[in-house]
Amino acid sequence: MTVAPDAPLLFFDSGVGGLSILGPTRAALPNAHVVYAADSAGFPYGTKSEAEIAARVPALLGRLVERYRPRLAVIACNTASTIALSAVRAALDVPVVGTVPAIKPAALVSRSRVFGVLGTDATVRQPYVDRLAAEFGADCIVLRHGSAALVQLAEAKLRGEVLDPAIARDALAGLFDQPGGDRMDTVVLACTHFPLVEAELAAASPRPLHFVHGGEGIARRIAYLTQGQRWPAERRAGTAVFTRLDESVGLLAGALASYGLERVEVL
Ligand code: DGL
């Protein structure tokens, strides 16, 4: 089937985290029409149960695909992807790209063979993470830590608030303070919110760390899956769609506009 040039790419996250995937995708596909969906009514995902996420995410994506008819959907959220990716794929008739912790690249770059996986509480306990660690990091110590506060820090940063440096410091301490943590040289940012606060994490670390995440790789995957398709001749304003509109949405307007999201809608 031919894809219309203005058929959008749909990005989905609980909040602003998916912008860390949208950024590199816009660099790779500058004229792509974009719809960015944030499940603000369900935010945050990282402290929810598997059952709640498994019930919520496929249903919401179904409604979004029906409304916006995207050429491809991106679950720009590690928590939702590690729990619900196969259910979403089964429910939708468009290609779905997920976001899974960048454990493979971390295992490739870690020299000390000790790396951390910093995600949400829900992500770091997933069997999906066990499988990735066993497959790619079998000769490594893979430390894990979940931080809900760091998710809130990323949201606060994009709302333009003054940030508390203790939050990034405490999140890293959750890894450094585990057995073997003194040798950790690499940290997987296994939540899409965390690349948005990479500078704060780097500043809070007592020594240089290598941070890895999946943004660029996912952008390349999207470009690959849409190869040969037609795109609009010019870039036009993208749409941010929220499941609940509240005062924080207004405070995010500047950050959203810097990613080309100039229109706001409610689902
Ligand atoms: N950005 C999400 C992730 O990648 C979830 C953050 C949250 O809602 O807790 O895991």
Side-chain angles (χ1 to χ4, degrees), residues 5-36:
D6 62 349
L9 296 172
L10 172 68
F11 292 79
F12 176 85
D13 183 34
S14 57
V16 297
L19 296 175
S20 71
I21 310 289
L22 172 56
T25 306
R26 264 165 55 86
L29 299 165
N31 288 358
H33 180 42
V34 167
V35 174
Y36 182 92

Short mmCIF file of all heavy atoms in Angstrom, two decimals, residues 5-36:
data_model
loop_
_atom_site.label_atom_id
_atom_site.label_comp_id
_atom_site.label_asym_id
_atom_site.label_seq_id
_atom_site.Cartn_x
_atom_site.Cartn_y
_atom_site.Cartn_z
N PRO A 5 2.23 11.16 1.66
CA PRO A 5 3.38 11.93 2.17
C PRO A 5 3.14 12.54 3.55
O PRO A 5 4.07 12.67 4.34
CB PRO A 5 3.57 13.04 1.12
CG PRO A 5 2.88 12.57 -0.10
CD PRO A 5 1.80 11.61 0.33
N ASP A 6 1.89 12.93 3.83
CA ASP A 6 1.66 13.59 5.12
C ASP A 6 1.25 12.62 6.23
O ASP A 6 0.93 13.04 7.34
CB ASP A 6 0.65 14.73 4.98
CG ASP A 6 -0.71 14.23 4.51
OD1 ASP A 6 -0.78 13.05 4.10
OD2 ASP A 6 -1.67 15.01 4.56
N ALA A 7 1.28 11.31 5.96
CA ALA A 7 1.00 10.35 7.04
C ALA A 7 2.08 10.53 8.12
O ALA A 7 3.27 10.51 7.82
CB ALA A 7 1.03 8.93 6.49
N PRO A 8 1.67 10.75 9.38
CA PRO A 8 2.67 11.10 10.40
C PRO A 8 3.45 9.90 10.95
O PRO A 8 3.07 8.75 10.77
CB PRO A 8 1.82 11.73 11.50
CG PRO A 8 0.48 11.10 11.37
CD PRO A 8 0.30 10.80 9.90
N LEU A 9 4.52 10.23 11.65
CA LEU A 9 5.16 9.28 12.56
C LEU A 9 4.52 9.57 13.92
O LEU A 9 4.43 10.73 14.33
CB LEU A 9 6.66 9.54 12.66
CG LEU A 9 7.50 9.33 11.40
CD1 LEU A 9 8.93 9.82 11.64
CD2 LEU A 9 7.49 7.86 10.99
N LEU A 10 4.08 8.52 14.61
CA LEU A 10 3.45 8.70 15.92
C LEU A 10 4.43 8.26 17.01
O LEU A 10 4.92 7.14 16.98
CB LEU A 10 2.18 7.84 16.01
CG LEU A 10 1.51 7.76 17.38
CD1 LEU A 10 0.90 9.11 17.79
CD2 LEU A 10 0.43 6.67 17.38
N PHE A 11 4.71 9.16 17.93
CA PHE A 11 5.56 8.85 19.09
C PHE A 11 4.67 8.78 20.32
O PHE A 11 3.78 9.61 20.48
CB PHE A 11 6.63 9.93 19.30
CG PHE A 11 7.64 9.97 18.20
CD1 PHE A 11 7.36 10.58 16.99
CD2 PHE A 11 8.87 9.35 18.36
CE1 PHE A 11 8.29 10.60 15.95
CE2 PHE A 11 9.80 9.35 17.34
CZ PHE A 11 9.51 9.97 16.13
N PHE A 12 4.98 7.83 21.21
CA PHE A 12 4.14 7.65 22.40
C PHE A 12 5.02 7.49 23.64
O PHE A 12 5.96 6.71 23.66
CB PHE A 12 3.27 6.39 22.24
CG PHE A 12 2.45 6.08 23.44
CD1 PHE A 12 1.21 6.68 23.63
CD2 PHE A 12 2.90 5.18 24.41
CE1 PHE A 12 0.44 6.40 24.78
CE2 PHE A 12 2.15 4.90 25.54
CZ PHE A 12 0.92 5.50 25.72
N ASP A 13 4.69 8.25 24.68
CA ASP A 13 5.36 8.10 25.98
C ASP A 13 4.36 8.52 27.06
O ASP A 13 3.28 9.04 26.75
CB ASP A 13 6.63 8.98 26.04
CG ASP A 13 7.41 8.82 27.35
OD1 ASP A 13 7.44 7.70 27.90
OD2 ASP A 13 8.00 9.80 27.82
N SER A 14 4.75 8.31 28.32
CA SER A 14 3.90 8.78 29.42
C SER A 14 3.99 10.31 29.55
O SER A 14 3.07 10.94 30.06
CB SER A 14 4.38 8.14 30.73
OG SER A 14 5.75 8.47 30.93
N GLY A 15 5.12 10.87 29.14
CA GLY A 15 5.35 12.32 29.32
C GLY A 15 6.27 12.84 28.24
O GLY A 15 6.13 12.47 27.07
N VAL A 16 7.26 13.65 28.66
CA VAL A 16 8.14 14.28 27.67
C VAL A 16 9.33 13.41 27.26
O VAL A 16 10.12 13.79 26.40
CB VAL A 16 8.68 15.65 28.17
CG1 VAL A 16 7.54 16.63 28.38
CG2 VAL A 16 9.52 15.49 29.44
N GLY A 17 9.50 12.24 27.90
CA GLY A 17 10.69 11.43 27.66
C GLY A 17 10.92 11.09 26.20
O GLY A 17 12.06 11.09 25.72
N GLY A 18 9.84 10.82 25.49
CA GLY A 18 9.98 10.43 24.09
C GLY A 18 10.59 11.50 23.21
O GLY A 18 11.01 11.21 22.08
N LEU A 19 10.72 12.72 23.72
CA LEU A 19 11.38 13.77 22.94
C LEU A 19 12.85 13.40 22.70
O LEU A 19 13.44 13.83 21.72
CB LEU A 19 11.29 15.12 23.66
CG LEU A 19 9.86 15.68 23.83
CD1 LEU A 19 9.90 16.97 24.67
CD2 LEU A 19 9.19 15.94 22.49
N SER A 20 13.42 12.56 23.59
CA SER A 20 14.81 12.14 23.39
C SER A 20 14.93 11.17 22.21
O SER A 20 16.03 10.91 21.72
CB SER A 20 15.41 11.53 24.66
OG SER A 20 14.83 10.27 24.94
N ILE A 21 13.81 10.65 21.76
CA ILE A 21 13.79 9.81 20.55
C ILE A 21 13.38 10.67 19.35
O ILE A 21 13.90 10.54 18.25
CB ILE A 21 12.78 8.64 20.70
CG1 ILE A 21 12.98 7.87 22.02
CG2 ILE A 21 12.84 7.72 19.48
CD1 ILE A 21 14.21 7.04 22.09
N LEU A 22 12.41 11.56 19.60
CA LEU A 22 11.96 12.45 18.52
C LEU A 22 13.11 13.32 18.00
O LEU A 22 13.23 13.54 16.79
CB LEU A 22 10.80 13.33 19.02
CG LEU A 22 10.33 14.45 18.09
CD1 LEU A 22 9.92 13.91 16.72
CD2 LEU A 22 9.16 15.21 18.72
N GLY A 23 13.97 13.82 18.90
CA GLY A 23 15.08 14.70 18.50
C GLY A 23 15.93 14.08 17.39
O GLY A 23 16.01 14.63 16.28
N PRO A 24 16.56 12.93 17.63
CA PRO A 24 17.37 12.32 16.56
C PRO A 24 16.55 11.89 15.35
O PRO A 24 17.07 11.89 14.22
CB PRO A 24 18.02 11.10 17.23
CG PRO A 24 17.57 11.06 18.63
CD PRO A 24 16.73 12.27 18.92
N THR A 25 15.27 11.59 15.53
CA THR A 25 14.45 11.20 14.37
C THR A 25 14.22 12.41 13.47
O THR A 25 14.26 12.31 12.24
CB THR A 25 13.10 10.62 14.84
OG1 THR A 25 13.35 9.57 15.76
CG2 THR A 25 12.31 10.08 13.65
N ARG A 26 13.98 13.58 14.07
CA ARG A 26 13.80 14.80 13.27
C ARG A 26 15.07 15.15 12.51
O ARG A 26 15.03 15.65 11.39
CB ARG A 26 13.43 15.98 14.19
CG ARG A 26 11.93 16.21 14.29
CD ARG A 26 11.58 17.09 15.45
NE ARG A 26 12.25 18.38 15.49
CZ ARG A 26 11.87 19.49 14.87
NH1 ARG A 26 10.79 19.47 14.10
NH2 ARG A 26 12.52 20.61 15.01
N ALA A 27 16.23 14.86 13.13
CA ALA A 27 17.49 15.14 12.45
C ALA A 27 17.63 14.22 11.23
O ALA A 27 18.13 14.62 10.18
CB ALA A 27 18.65 14.94 13.42
N ALA A 28 17.16 12.98 11.36
CA ALA A 28 17.31 12.00 10.26
C ALA A 28 16.24 12.21 9.18
O ALA A 28 16.50 11.98 8.00
CB ALA A 28 17.22 10.58 10.82
N LEU A 29 15.03 12.60 9.59
CA LEU A 29 13.90 12.73 8.66
C LEU A 29 13.25 14.10 8.87
O LEU A 29 12.18 14.22 9.46
CB LEU A 29 12.87 11.61 8.94
CG LEU A 29 13.38 10.17 8.77
CD1 LEU A 29 12.42 9.18 9.40
CD2 LEU A 29 13.57 9.85 7.29
N PRO A 30 13.91 15.16 8.39
CA PRO A 30 13.50 16.52 8.78
C PRO A 30 12.09 16.92 8.39
O PRO A 30 11.48 17.71 9.10
CB PRO A 30 14.54 17.42 8.10
CG PRO A 30 15.38 16.55 7.25
CD PRO A 30 15.09 15.12 7.53
N ASN A 31 11.55 16.39 7.31
CA ASN A 31 10.22 16.83 6.88
C ASN A 31 9.09 15.92 7.35
O ASN A 31 7.94 16.16 7.02
CB ASN A 31 10.17 16.95 5.35
CG ASN A 31 10.97 18.14 4.87
OD1 ASN A 31 11.53 18.88 5.67
ND2 ASN A 31 11.04 18.33 3.56
N ALA A 32 9.44 14.89 8.09
CA ALA A 32 8.39 13.96 8.55
C ALA A 32 7.37 14.72 9.38
O ALA A 32 7.72 15.51 10.26
CB ALA A 32 9.02 12.85 9.38
N HIS A 33 6.09 14.45 9.11
CA HIS A 33 5.04 15.01 9.95
C HIS A 33 4.98 14.19 11.25
O HIS A 33 5.04 12.96 11.20
CB HIS A 33 3.71 14.98 9.19
CG HIS A 33 2.58 15.54 9.99
ND1 HIS A 33 2.71 16.68 10.76
CD2 HIS A 33 1.31 15.11 10.14
CE1 HIS A 33 1.56 16.92 11.36
NE2 HIS A 33 0.70 15.99 11.01
N VAL A 34 4.88 14.87 12.37
CA VAL A 34 5.02 14.19 13.66
C VAL A 34 3.80 14.43 14.56
O VAL A 34 3.33 15.56 14.69
CB VAL A 34 6.30 14.70 14.38
CG1 VAL A 34 6.31 14.27 15.83
CG2 VAL A 34 7.55 14.20 13.65
N VAL A 35 3.33 13.36 15.16
CA VAL A 35 2.36 13.47 16.25
C VAL A 35 3.03 12.87 17.48
O VAL A 35 3.51 11.72 17.43
CB VAL A 35 1.05 12.71 15.94
CG1 VAL A 35 0.13 12.73 17.16
CG2 VAL A 35 0.35 13.32 14.73
N TYR A 36 3.11 13.64 18.54
CA TYR A 36 3.76 13.18 19.77
C TYR A 36 2.68 13.04 20.84
O TYR A 36 2.04 14.03 21.23
CB TYR A 36 4.82 14.21 20.22
CG TYR A 36 5.55 13.74 21.45
CD1 TYR A 36 6.73 13.01 21.33
CD2 TYR A 36 5.06 13.98 22.72
CE1 TYR A 36 7.38 12.53 22.45
CE2 TYR A 36 5.70 13.50 23.85
CZ TYR A 36 6.88 12.79 23.70
OH TYR A 36 7.52 12.30 24.81
#
